[in-house]
Each structure stands twice: as structure tokens, then as C-alpha cells.
Amino acid sequence: MAPIPRRSLLKAAAVAGAAAQFSWALGSKDAQAAPRAEAADAEPVTLDWLEEGGLGAAPGSTVGVPWPKGAYEKDQAFALKDADGKEVPVQSWPIGYWPDGSLKWTAHAVGPGAGAGKLTLAAGSPAAPEKKVTVDKSGGTITVSTGVITAKIGKSGSTLVKSVTRGSTEIAKNGRLVLLRQPEIEDGDQGTEKYERFESAISKVEVEQEGPVRGVVRVDGKHRRGDRSWLPFSIRLYFYAGADSFRMVHTITFDGTQEPGKASGDFIRGLGVRFTVPMRDASYDRHIRIGGDGTGLLREAVKGITGLRRDPGAAVQAAQFAGNKLPDPSTWDQRVTTRLQYIPEWGDYTLSQLSADGFGVRKRTKKGHGWIPAGGGRRASGFGYVGGASGGLSFGLRDFWEKFPAQLDIRDAHTDEAEVTIWLWSPEAQPMDLRFYHDGMGQDTFPEQLEGLNITYEDYEPEFGTPYGIARTSELLFWANESTPAPEKLAEQVEAVRTLPQLAAPPKHLVKAKVFGGLFSEPDRSTTAKAKIEDHLDFLFTYYKDQVEMRRWYGFWDYGDIMHSYDPVRHQWRYDVGGYAWDNSELSPDLWLWFAYLRSGRADIFRFAEAMTRHTGEVDVYHLGKWAGLGTRHGVQHYADSAKQQRIANTTYRRYYYFLTADERVGDLMHANVDSDETFLVLDPIRKIRTEPYTPDRNALSVGFGTDWSGLVSAWLTEWERKGPKWEKAKARVLSTMETIAAQPNGFVQGTGLYDLDTGKFAVAEKPAVSVSHLSAVFGLNELCAELIDLVDMPKFNEAYFDYCRYFNATKAEQAARYGTNFGSLLLFQGHSRLDAYAAVQTGDEKLAKRAWDKFYNSDGYKESAPWTTEKVSGPVTLVPGSEANWVYTNDTALYGLAAIENLALLGDKMP
């Protein structure tokens, strides 16, 4: 493709023409008419499970697989085989496209037949499952069958899952959501306020997939009591061919009122999912299973016949403990049979996990009677079962203790219908208190707030520390068992709840496909220098993984995030010091973790990054209200800081998990950001330092080319790649902003431009300016530009970005010689060494390649002379024993990690 004439680039009006010129890109309508690159080598891909054991008892797994440019057309079918060459049923669909319209990413779903070993994916016709997923949308319900179980899903009312049957046996029914709201909250011993019960109210139901291997149904609504509806929910139910179970992904978005200093508001007392379970068997054939530590289980019957004064017989006792149907009581020792009516029936059980370090189990015969303790432990699996010899329901909540306070309730198991509630927020915990944590301490004006920023690093502003619009996603599993499962089967179900099995493509294939800008390579210890860096990367990840445990970075709203800065005097992370506390994606630890996984394939890194993606995409970002589409800067509470910015809502941080798993919820988050440029109308990002009067003009909004634009364009690019509902608008925005940044007198160095919401263009400035921040490129700009440059043929944009890369780490004299003035005082040179490396490879600049390693080794950040070790700490120095590396800070960690990974991939052969 010929370069765009320079005169076109100097006129913003020419963007429409440029968009037409680039209309072939990323799966556009006229892709077939465009020149097609020669098909890449598309060898079969060997998929493996992240952890040993394969699918186990989980209903199924879905994996995203990338392909080199030109490898496969958009309608390519795929087949799957196991290690013995046996065909495995698979359902495939596209989730991303290359510029020539060929497949970039495909998703592949497998059910229980996938087994535990490696699988080979290749072009071909997929095998049909013996038992297919079918969906019937007629009538008042949506009926989904896996060939083993059938679920009827409500289209209206309060019941999400009307029934779950296995064969002709109804295993569960009346699946709904429950919410307990407490209008007031009291401290101390003043008693507990009354609370109100809300139930789910469905507003919309949509079938997203209909089989044959995977079916997905989405249910949206709010919690309702009387005339009030609030706390929106979005539920997805996943069904796989041949499975006896299904998965639920449950999201709530907080839209209540909680004001600092006030004891009245919307305080969540309990939040859960509830099912009714028919009980058909005799009470001695009804079984309770509660998961404890590891795969430990409390295994009891509603009416126990073990441990009695009289013995019914060893075989009978063993059968009850195993969960088998007992022989007719007439065959037992009659001293027991004739006295069965005197044995208590235990109908109610509760397991509550109110911290990350302790759970308790208790039981009672029925409502109105006293509880007795039934044991306890440290960290419960979040698993339970209630049922009998004729069938029962297993259920589990993922990350149960990590996202405490959680609880499992079984009620009325001695009656015809038991009730199961999986509490995502335990009603026995303190009510959910999301009020802002302090009163501002005299920071009433912008100058005073800036002074507060100068001491606590927190950007405070009244009414900005609000949780209104934040969200949280939880994952649950349910099994419809034809009888009480054997202990070994229960253990498999427990393990599936604790670690949902995940298929994965190997790092070698991810590297070969050149996705995500081609900025990573497999670990290489072939030289001493490379081995040292690999050791350092391993050290940093292990340290943070250990710190999560030592510092107890757990809890419903907190799990998945890490802390920003350390206080070596207190031997403690600065969890209570303004902007130094929760990290909220500051300087892109999300990217460091995902790149660390992409190159290594390590399961522990994947799970760490997965938890962070679930957290940062939900909790640190607003999904409702005037700030929807913006995220919150780092702070003591995830929503505390008044800086609401694109850089935290950045879609770049979600892309990796989505494309590796095809997760629909993360897909929702990315799609929701497509129109987030509208947020610039509601919040002035420089309001505290602006001196002139300001009224936002939708046709001339000041938008930065670094943190602002990278957050916007990542959403547009992703929508375009996915061919989402707004992909044509997104495509136009990508191209028009790229061209009008390139057309600025100083390109990226210009720093900001006046953005037109209606045209999606930056006005081209009349005069050159120099406005460079050390933050501009450290929120995914390099990673994003590497993808854009690979996808879009726009030489002037490339030149503009390469110039930015060349001159950020240049000397002030070099900067002044190029731009007429230097860039001022900058920071984060080590992290920016990856820009040197990228531009060096793209331009063939050997001097730049040398500088990349020089800045990596010899500038700010972590040096080879750092300790690269931890020291043990314990009481009375710290709250709990553990380790510390008081020289480690998350800003430096994220930048070192990304620079190391990208420099090795790009310039590993040019290390000094």
C-alpha cells in the first residue's frame, strides 16, 4: 500500500478518506476485495490443561487460540483429537480478526469428553457430541438440555432457573437471587437494625449460544422489593454437551447510597443465590456434604444411624457414610429399627467464612431450635451438597475464602423441600460498608486538596469517593447428581470449584502467532545475563504471590489487587496512606503479569493475572452513573481517589484474559468502553490546576495522546477486532485519531489535542508544542502502538511514534536539537527502555538498541546491585511472620517486568 500523501496528513478533514483507504483492515466488509497476504503456516496446535487432572468434574472449558495472519479464512472449521487420535467434540467460533479478514483468534469449547490429556486442534470438520446441547426458546421459559440434565430458565418474574432435572427426576428448582438490605448501620453494642429482603426481578433474557457443545443464556435484572428495584445483576448460565452440571457467572453493580458520616443508607447485609431442592428419600437416606479445608468434607445424614447406643449393623453404617441407599430397615438390628422415630433429624446446616483464616460449621434440627457446633477449620472450599439416594444438588462458590465473607446454608433438609443458599456476602458478617473512609480534613478547596496530595499522595475531593457504579463478578458451579456422589466424585467436584479447569495454547504457539504486538518470547537462560533477568522476573512474581498471603490481600472487594508502595519503617505496605495503598493498575502490573504468563504458560501466573483482571475491570472502574467508563486512581479504597481516568478503565488490561478464554463478562466490559470518550464532557481531568474558565465543548475537548488516548483506542481497537456491535464506528475512531495524532506538528510529543466527539478526530495544531509526561507511555501505550503499527499501514503514525520512542530517553541536548526545547525533568527511564527496544527493531537503529540495554541496566528502577532476595520478619516487628523486600515497589516492579520481557524478546541477541 502506498504511503498517504503528506498534504492529506496535514488536514484533519482528510481522515474520512484515510478511513476509506484503510477499510480493508480487521475484517471489514470489503475484506475479500483487498490483496491477501500469502497464507501463513498453520500447523496443528497442541492444547493442554493449566493444571493436572484435566477437566475433572467441571462441566466444560473454553479456550482462545491465536493464528498467524492469513492462516485461516473467517469461516474455517476446526477439529479436535486426543492423544490417541480419537475425535473430541468441539464448538468453535471467531473472536478476533486480522487486517486481511483472516482469523486472528478463535474460541473452542469442550465438554466432559475432553478427558485429562493433551488435545490437538487443527483445521477440519468437528466431531458431533453424542449428547448435544439443545435450546428451546418457545413458551414462557428457555429450555436448555445438555443431553444429561435439562434446565428451564425463566423469562420474567423472580425465578432465574425454574427447574433442573436429570432424566425424569427434578433435582433443583426455584433458582433465584436474594439480597438483604440494612437501612442503618451501628457501631459498637447498640444492636442490629432490621433488614429487608429483595429478590431477583428479570428484565431481559438472551440466548447467546445454542450448542451443539456449549450453550449460554444471559439473564439481566435488578433486585426488587415492593416498588423499589436496585442493585442490577447480570447472570450468565453455561451448559456443555454431556455435562451433569452448569456454571453461573454472577455480576452485581452497586447503585445504592452510602454517605460518609451517615449511618443510614443501602447497606448490604447478605447477597446470595438460592435454590430449592426436592427431598424424596427417607431421612436416613438424605445426605449432607460440606466442604472444609482442601478436599475435606463433613459427611453426614439428616438422620444419622451411626454412633448410636444400638448398632444397626456395620454394613448399614458404612453404607450411610458412603452415601449409598440403605437396605430396608426390616433387615437391620430391630433395636434400631423400632426406635428410628426417636433419632433427631438435622435439617439445617451453616458454614460461614468470615475471614480468610477461619470458618465454622454448625447445625440444628430445625428453625426455632438451638445450634450446635459441627466443626471448623481455616479455609473452606466453598462446596456443599444436599440430596439423597435418588438424587441431589452439589454447589460451589469459586474463590470462597479469598473473597470472604462468604457462607453456605442448607435449610429444611428434613422436610419435602430443602433450601440451599450460597452467600456471596454472608449475612453473619458486618454489613457491607462502602462509605468513604475520612472527612477530608479541611480540603475544601482545590488548593487545599493539592496540599493534601502533597502529603498523603491522595487526590481528595468531596463526593468523589463513591462506590456508586462499581461492580463485582463471582463464579458458581452446580451439579445435578442422580444419587449422592461417592467420595472420590465429590473430591473432583470440590477441586473444580477451587480451580476451574482451563485449556490453554502453549507459549510457543502464542509467540509464533505474533499476537499482542509480538513483544514477548519464551524464557531463555542460554547466557548468564539472560538467566539473571529470568531469575529476577521469577523473584518478583513469587514475592507478590507470597505477599498476598502474608498481608492477607483478600476480601470480596479487594481480592485480585496488590498494594502500591511499601513503608520500610513499619515493615508494612502503605495500606492506610492515601494514594500509596491499593494499586488499581498503576503503571500496568496487569500487563506485566499477562506478558509473564504468555511467555511461560505458568498456571500460577495465569491464576494471579486472572484474579487481577476480574478485580481491576470490575471494582476499579465505574459501570453506572456519570463516570461510567472511567476508573479510579490508586488509593486506600478502590474508589476513594478523585482522579477518575481512562488510564484505569483501559481495555488493554482486559484483552489478554478475553482472548485467552473468550470470557463473555470481560467482553461486556470492553464493549462498554467504546463510547467512553463521552466521559470527557462530564469531568475535567485538570480542573484542580486550571486557572481559566472552562466549559466542555464536545467538538474541542482536550485529550492527551498518552494515558487518555491509549485508554480510548484500546476499546475501539478491540471492538473492531471482535467485529462487535459498534465496530464500524470504532474502526473510524481508531483510524481518524491515529492520522490526526500523526498530523500534529510534533506528533506524540505534542502531548494533547482538541478532540471532536462527533467526528472522532483531533484538530491539527497550528504551532508545535512539547508536552511529554513520564506517565504517557506506561499505561499500555507501547503495547498498544505495537499492535496498531502491526495492523494498520500508516507510515506517518509510525514515524510519530518512533520519534517519541527515540527521544524520551535521549539527552536533553538531543531533545532540544530535534524539538527546539528539551522534555524537562522525566522519570521511569528503565520502563521506557522497552520503547527504545521497540523502535530499534522497527527502524534498524543499532544506537537505539544499545541505549535500550543501557537504560535498562543503568537508570532508575531495579538494578543488578539490588538485593534480589527477601528477609524474614516476625513478631513483634510484624503482625504475622513472613518476608519482606523493603526495596520493592509496584511501580518499579511493573516497569521492570515489562521492560525485561520486551527487551529480551526484541533485543535478546544484542545484550551487552
Side-chain angles (χ1 to χ4, degrees), residues 490-514:
L490 289 167
E492 287 186 357
Q493 293 177 352
V494 170
E495 289 171 346
V497 169
R498 286 298 302 146
T499 306
L500 190 67
Q502 179 64 55
L503 267 179
K508 181 179 294 186
H509 181 74
L510 300 177
V511 172
K512 180 181 178 181
K514 298 188 183 301

Side-chain angles (χ1 to χ4, degrees), residues 146-166:
T146 69
V148 176
I149 65 173
T150 299
K152 292 187 177 295
I153 299 164
K155 293 182 176 179
S156 61
S158 63
T159 305
L160 278 63
V161 182
K162 292 185 175 294
S163 67
V164 180
T165 58
R166 181 165 183 160

Side-chain angles (χ1 to χ4, degrees), residues 667-680:
D668 293 345
L669 299 177
M670 299 192 300
H671 172 68
N673 279 346
V674 172
D675 294 323
S676 61
D677 51 356
E678 295 283 341
T679 59
F680 286 90

Side-chain angles (χ1 to χ4, degrees), residues 30 538 730 748:
D30 51 351
D538 289 348
F748 274 93

Side-chain angles (χ1 to χ4, degrees), residues 305-306 311-321 324 326-328 331-333:
I305 50 86
T306 67
D311 182 1
V316 177
Q317 291 193 67
Q320 187 179 66
F321 185 60
N324 299 328
L326 301 187
D328 191 287
T331 64
W332 306 358
D333 187 317

